[in-house]
Amino acid sequence: MKLQVENFEEYEKAYQYSVENPEGFWGEIAENFVWKKKWNKVLDWNFKEPKIEWYQGATLNITENCLDRHLLDKADQPAIVWESNDPNEANKTYTYRQLHQEVCTFAHVLKQNGAKKGDRICLYMPMVPELAIAVLACARIGAIHSVVFGGFSAQSIADRIQDAQCSMVVTADGSHRGNKEIFLKHIMDEAIISCPCVKKVIVLERSKSAVSMIKGRDLFWHSEMDRMRSLGLTDCPAEEMDAEDPLFILYTSGSTGKPKGVVHTCGGYMVFTAYTFQNIFQYQPGEMYFCTADIGWITGHSYIVYGPLIQGANSLIFEGIPTFPDAGRFWDIVDKHDVNILYTAPTAIRSLMQFGLDYVKDKNLSSLRVLGSVGEPINEEAWNWYNEHIGKGKCPIVDTWWQTETGGILISPLANITPTKPCYATLPLPGVQPILVDEKGDEITGNGVSGNLCIKFPWPGILRTTYGDHERCRTNYFATYENLYFTGDGCMRDEDGYYRITGRVDDVMNISGHRIGTAEVENAINMFTDVIESAVVGYPHDIKGQGIYAYVIMASTPKDPVMARKDIAATVSQIIGAIARPDKIQFVTGLPKTRSGKIMRRILRKIAEGDINNLGDTSTLLDPSVVDKIKEERL
Ligand code: WTA
């Protein structure tokens, strides 16, 4: 079966076949890729343990699909085009041939420094081509990459390195984001103090700021690459990987505890990212594709690196931020590089909207053919603005719903195939079987209904486990409802059977499209001296989608509340990273708790939202009077 559906009828046919005969469907789709050995069985699964295995017995290397196979017909076409944070710095282009060579050379750097199949390697880097090269070099030798977003703190990095027991780290001296420099190596040095498992650190020179280099441990990227070249090590055979060998770990927040390491494996992830990329964006050869995400998040993994490269696309990597040097930067990039497909987040659209049309009006956006949205529900105003002012009413908007755990997009229009509707992710991809359930787990059938979104059958990109703790994977995703994967999202299905995701129904917040757990932020706040207890909830925020509202009980009333708030925010930045800084901190003397001691977040959420006349039943509270006090002093 060909990979790409080309019209709605073909979509419907593919969908039907994928449900009636999932193994037949995904077996035929998998024929479109390069395998070292074919599978014995397409799928073996149960959601009870869970145990999910795709393409049993098959072997492959995903980088042969990203790189080697394109050398036959696309060797001199661009694979990656890079745009610097600084608009005056020259672009860089890597053709498939060049990228192949860089990846192979860096794969040797990893090997020569002791890395081998199955080892975990932490990547903490700016958005430069070398990050994609490092990702692919790990995959080349079968090492498991764990990319940590450049905005996380030393403590967060250390937690992730320790959890995965990474033996190697790849980082850079610093990273430029707008006017700011983030001193990555310095932060990494602080993290490594508590990580004896790290034996080698490879440091890319990017910002040219001074770094400390420890003899025997730290090595410069460029000198190591030169050393490999002088040894003639610029080609590197691809390690033969089992389809179910881990490809990478990516940490993501849940409703409890520390972030968990979501594990994706080689075969299914490859098939699923390529299939979804091709069908959703309807990528055509030669087109310029620009996804504005960071490779530190799943969107960057699946739709900057793997999906596009497997499909031989030209993927644009942008180092900077949408508002530097001004709010026209995205449109400058579209204009300059003739971008055909733009994939960004609602939070970016909202933040650019507020600057008005001056930054859009003189830009030539006529190259655009498809627009994408990801990461959070898109509000109607942002959808319309994107449609009208960026797409000029002629580009379909693919509102793609998915998660770190799903590996790739599950519900989305296919560009120019599925009729779109503002704010709707529309219909499931072939192979994806969504169902809505009520609190008890009973299926809600029919249309014009809402419920909790679950998926009842595995797809090739589903997570296999959470690193080092399979039980956590089971309880988080497969134990809420029997035999279903629970997404944590609420969803409605309208009269046309179209899906609209309404947001998380658990204690996970979505701040500017970044997932942050309330418990994580509370733990960080509680580290601040004098804090006795805290409760954190999300509240609607015009730009970020959600903001963080913290209720904090202090041992004694702060003398300077403004200063105390700043200090608490600084503590959270230090422990997690600036993305988790609370927007509002209200000092309270008590929290609404049930008689069994459980914080009633529902009430705190309503107060944070400003919906204070509609708090529902508070009679079961231990002390209902705390609610009045919190209401009165609300920020
Ligand atoms: C939310 C990002 C509405 C959702 C790819 C999900 C969305 C969480 C959409 C996963 C969308 C993502 N519409 N909500 N198109 N896309 N979400 O793991 O709540 O960073 O559960 O993956 O983002 O966030 P994650």
Side-chain angles (χ1 to χ4, degrees):
M1 191 190 312
K2 66 185 170 63
L3 195 73
Q4 188 175 344
V5 305
E6 276 159 31
N7 54 53
F8 198 72
E9 206 188 323
E10 282 184 12
Y11 160 74
E12 283 183 309
K13 257 173 70 189
Y15 190 82
Q16 200 182 354
Y17 179 41
S18 78
V19 172
E20 283 166 5
N21 184 355
E23 289 195 56
F25 176 77
W26 287 115
E28 287 171 45
I29 293 297
E31 297 287 351
N32 289 284
F33 303 90
V34 175
W35 302 82
K36 286 182 190 282
K37 200 169 116 217
K38 290 282 170 67
W39 48 94
N40 311 318
K41 187 165 173 27
V42 174
L43 172 65
D44 186 11
W45 73 289
N46 72 70
F47 276 172
K48 209 169 157 50
E49 296 177 58
K51 175 187 164 195
I52 303 148
E53 292 185 2
W54 283 93
Y55 307 112
Q56 264 181 357
T59 64
L60 74 152
N61 189 293
I62 195 168
T63 68
E64 288 192 328
N65 287 273
C66 292
L67 302 168
D68 302 61
R69 69 165 170 166
H70 301 313
L71 298 183
L72 296 174
D73 60 343
K74 294 191 184 70
D76 298 314
Q77 289 179 25
I80 288 175
V81 169
W82 173 75
E83 167 84 17
S84 164
N85 178 63
D86 173 0
N88 298 317
E89 185 176 351
N91 316 314
K92 277 191 201 162
T93 299
Y94 291 80
T95 62
Y96 274 95
R97 192 198 313 280
Q98 289 165 332
L99 187 62
H100 177 267
Q101 198 174 74
E102 292 293 300
V103 169
C104 285
T105 311
F106 194 66
H108 279 296
V109 172
L110 297 176
K111 286 214 275 197
Q112 292 269 321
N113 283 290
K116 47 185 197 318
K117 179 173 176 174
D119 288 355
R120 278 79 54 213
I121 300 183
C122 173
L123 312 180
Y124 183 64
M125 296 179 75
M127 278 289 286
V128 289
E130 287 83 352
L131 171 52
I133 291 166
V135 162
L136 294 167
C138 289
R140 189 79 176 174
I141 65 166
I144 302 167
H145 54 78
S146 167
V147 184
V148 177
F149 173 62
F152 279 118
S153 68
Q155 180 67 54
S156 298
I157 302 165
D159 288 346
R160 286 158 172 77
I161 290 179
Q162 282 164 357
D163 186 75
Q165 288 291 300
C166 298
S167 53
M168 206 185 271
V169 163
V170 186
T171 188
D173 45 3
S175 144
H176 296 296
R177 307 263 297 161
N179 283 319
K180 278 200 267 184
E181 182 178 348
I182 305 168
F183 296 92
L184 298 173
K185 174 64 163 67
H186 186 76
I187 298 169
M188 183 52 82
D189 284 339
E190 198 185 322
I192 294 178
I193 293 171
S194 56
C195 303
C197 49
V198 174
K199 304 292 181 237
K200 287 276 160 95
V201 180
I202 313 235
V203 183
L204 176 78
E205 284 170 285
R206 167 66 191 133
S207 61
K208 306 279 187 220
S209 50
V211 287
S212 77
M213 295 291 285
I214 305 295
K215 191 187 289 171
R217 188 194 74 181
D218 300 355
L219 300 154
F220 281 115
W221 172 293
H222 290 103
S223 34
E224 284 297 283
M225 290 292 269
D226 287 344
R227 190 162 73 87
M228 296 309 125
R229 283 185 204 107
S230 68
L231 294 169
L233 297 175
T234 53
D235 197 1
C236 177
E239 188 74 35
E240 182 163 357
M241 304 296 287
D242 192 277
E244 283 298 334
D245 278 337
L247 174 65
F248 66 86
I249 305 171
L250 186 59
Y251 286 83
T252 191
S253 297
S255 43
T256 55
K258 289 201 166 158
K260 44 192 180 284
V262 168
V263 175
H264 285 290
T265 57
C266 297
Y269 178 82
M270 169 180 77
V271 170
F272 197 65
T273 51
Y275 182 79
T276 49
F277 172 78
Q278 191 58 48
N279 280 291
I280 290 160
F281 298 107
Q282 293 283 307
Y283 183 84
Q284 294 165 14
E287 282 192 323
M288 179 68 86
Y289 164 84
F290 175 23
C291 168
T292 70
D294 192 290
I295 294 175
W297 307 110
I298 191 69
T299 305
H301 281 61
S302 302
Y303 300 110
I304 295 178
V305 182
Y306 288 113
L309 295 180
I310 296 167
Q311 288 310 108
N314 182 357
S315 183
L316 192 150
I317 297 182
F318 172 43
E319 185 183 32
I321 58 172
T323 48
F324 178 82
D326 63 39
R329 190 66 194 276
F330 277 0
W331 325 129
D332 285 333
I333 295 174
V334 170
D335 191 339
K336 174 171 162 193
H337 295 280
D338 292 323
V339 170
N340 304 108
I341 303 170
L342 175 69
Y343 188 28
T344 192
T347 189
I349 298 167
R350 286 191 302 265
S351 88
L352 297 177
M353 269 167 72
Q354 62 174 345
F355 290 94
L357 292 174
D358 279 356
Y359 292 98
V360 185
K361 69 176 196 298
D362 298 327
K363 313 290 159 73
N364 182 356
L365 305 182
S366 62
S367 56
L368 285 174
R369 190 177 63 78
V370 176
L371 302 176
S373 173
V374 61
E376 49 178 321
I378 181 165
N379 50 311
E380 193 145 358
E381 208 192 341
W383 198 97
N384 287 331
W385 190 88
Y386 199 26
N387 181 43
E388 230 168 87
H389 299 295
I390 306 307
K392 316 291 182 195
K394 66 175 180 54
C395 302
I397 297 179
V398 291
D399 178 0
T400 64
W401 172 82
W402 59 298
Q403 311 177 296
T404 305
E405 295 85 345
T406 69
I409 298 162
L410 297 194
I411 305 182
S412 169
L414 311 184
N416 287 317
I417 291 177
T418 316
T420 60
K421 209 188 266 190
C423 313
Y424 279 80
T426 74
L427 298 172
L429 269 283
V432 175
Q433 302 186 33
I435 80 165
L436 301 183
V437 299
D438 62 19
E439 294 296 324
K440 294 200 301 282
D442 291 329
E443 178 165 3
I444 302 170
T445 53
N447 287 342
V449 292
S450 299
N452 289 344
L453 178 60
C454 294
I455 316 286
K456 65 178 173 197
F457 196 88
W459 60 98
I462 189 173
L463 85 162
R464 302 303 198 265
T465 189
T466 44
Y467 193 79
D469 192 352
H470 193 62
E471 177 59 11
R472 194 164 176 206
C473 172
R474 191 186 70 79
T475 50
N476 259 287
Y477 308 106
F478 299 95
T480 316
Y481 305 113
E482 204 176 326
N483 282 325
L484 297 175
Y485 166 80
F486 176 44
T487 65
D489 279 320
C491 180
M492 62 171 277
R493 185 168 51 219
D494 77 356
E495 295 303 336
D496 299 326
Y498 269 28
Y499 290 86
R500 175 176 189 163
I501 314 302
T502 47
R504 303 288 303 197
V505 293
D506 55 8
D507 289 323
V508 172
M509 299 175 290
N510 194 324
I511 315 297
S512 300
H514 302 329
R515 251 169 91 167
I516 299 171
T518 52
E520 252 178 289
V521 182
E522 288 164 6
N523 290 339
I525 292 175
N526 297 349
M527 303 276 282
F528 183 70
T529 176
D530 260 15
V531 168
I532 295 198
E533 196 179 6
S534 64
V536 163
V537 296
Y539 72 98
H541 187 288
D542 284 350
I543 308 291
K544 297 177 170 186
Q546 271 192 315
I548 302 181
Y549 196 118
Y551 300 89
V552 178
I553 306 177
M554 301 286 273
S556 54
T557 318
K559 286 198 189 60
D560 182 348
V562 176
M563 202 59 215
R565 285 195 184 99
K566 279 193 195 156
D567 290 342
I568 291 173
T571 309
V572 176
S573 283
Q574 174 72 20
I575 308 255
I576 306 175
I579 54 170
R581 283 171 84 98
D583 298 272
K584 294 184 179 179
I585 298 174
Q586 179 180 350
F587 294 111
V588 296
T589 49
L591 290 166
K593 286 190 179 170
T594 60
R595 290 196 175 99
S596 59
K598 213 172 154 244
I599 296 175
M600 286 192 71
R601 287 167 188 286
R602 178 178 57 79
I603 294 177
L604 293 176
R605 235 178 262 134
K606 291 246 175 199
I607 297 175
E609 283 166 13
D611 189 7
I612 49 174
N613 297 320
N614 191 18
L615 295 184
D617 185 14
T618 55
S619 63
T620 56
L621 289 177
L622 192 59
D623 175 9
S625 74
V626 296
V627 174
D628 295 329
K629 192 129 189 283
I630 296 177
K631 269 185 351 193
E632 264 163 43
E633 292 169 6
R634 127 169 223 281
L635 301 173

